[in-house]
Amino acid sequence: MYDSRFSIFNQIIYSFHMPLSFILSVYVQHEIRGTKRGYINGKIRRIVYPYFAFTVLGAIPWGIYLYIKGNTIFDIILNFFYVKGMTVNNPLWFLIVLFEIYIICAVTDVVDKNMRFQTIISILAFTIGGNLYKLKGIDSENCFILRYQNLFGVNRAIVCFGFFVVGMLLKESIEIEKVDNLKIKRILLLIFLLILNLLFGVSFNKKISIFAFDFGNYISFLIAAISGSLAVILG
């Protein structure tokens, strides 16, 4: 009984905790000031350097473990640079994907665009990510996109960029102070969001993992991720 309850709780957390992290990343995102090159250099100092610093700490023991498991030295080196969508320190995948999202922001200027443009970009990111997920497991030898979609976790970055833009939309459209003044409506909204999360995150789906690029039912994943994140933000 305990294991079953823990498993369900774990599945609920996994249904939204990483999407929530990317949505909340918007709230510490600064506008691009100066040149885009300077902006990107700043992100390299704040994100990429710490990634490699902490990766080095785990590289030796994890590298030995992978080597014992049958991985080649070359494969271990590729994992160090997150070339195949795997790292020698798995939790740090978030930093590389976040850095790629900031690069996309700099290229598209999505931060400075209107909400209609941001909505379209978000839907486009989710659509591309969903199609890449649908093609997962297909023989990739004869398809360049399939062969290299794991390169530096780009496929994860595309999906997570969708959540990042959702964060922009929430930041621009939701005024928490006004929601706080509508306590009854707020409680009803929270109940509705929690029901959505439980239905689409547990009943209609399995435990998901963005790191493993495994979403189960992709539509259910998106609904559970956004409803769970909204519940936390409004709660």
Side-chain angles (χ1 to χ4, degrees), residues 22 93 97 101 155-165 210:
F22 287 102
W93 71 271
V97 168
I101 288 172
N155 48 7
R156 284 91 165 160
I158 291 172
V159 174
C160 294
F161 177 65
F163 290 115
F164 190 84
V165 180
I210 295 180

Side-chain angles (χ1 to χ4, degrees), residues 35-123:
T35 64
K36 291 183 179 180
R37 182 176 180 179
Y39 172 82
I40 292 173
N41 285 337
K43 296 304 179 185
I44 291 175
R45 290 194 301 272
R46 294 181 178 88
I47 298 176
V48 178
Y49 289 169
Y51 167 79
F52 283 114
F54 283 102
T55 297
V56 167
L57 294 176
I60 296 177
W62 187 242
I64 294 173
Y65 171 78
L66 291 176
Y67 186 75
I68 293 173
K69 284 290 187 178
N71 289 267
T72 66
I73 298 296
F74 182 66
D75 283 334
I76 294 171
I77 293 173
L78 292 182
N79 285 343
F80 184 87
F81 291 99
Y82 200 24
V83 173
K84 290 187 173 182
M86 298 292 290
T87 73
V88 297
N89 195 340
N90 289 347
L92 296 181
W93 71 271
F94 174 84
L95 292 179
I96 289 298
V97 168
L98 183 62
F99 174 71
E100 292 170 358
I101 288 172
Y102 284 137
I103 297 297
I104 297 172
C105 286
V107 172
T108 61
D109 289 323
V110 67
V111 176
D112 299 321
K113 302 297 184 180
N114 58 43
M115 293 181 66
R116 178 179 296 179
F117 179 85
Q118 292 172 345
T119 301
I120 293 172
I121 287 294
S122 179
I123 294 173

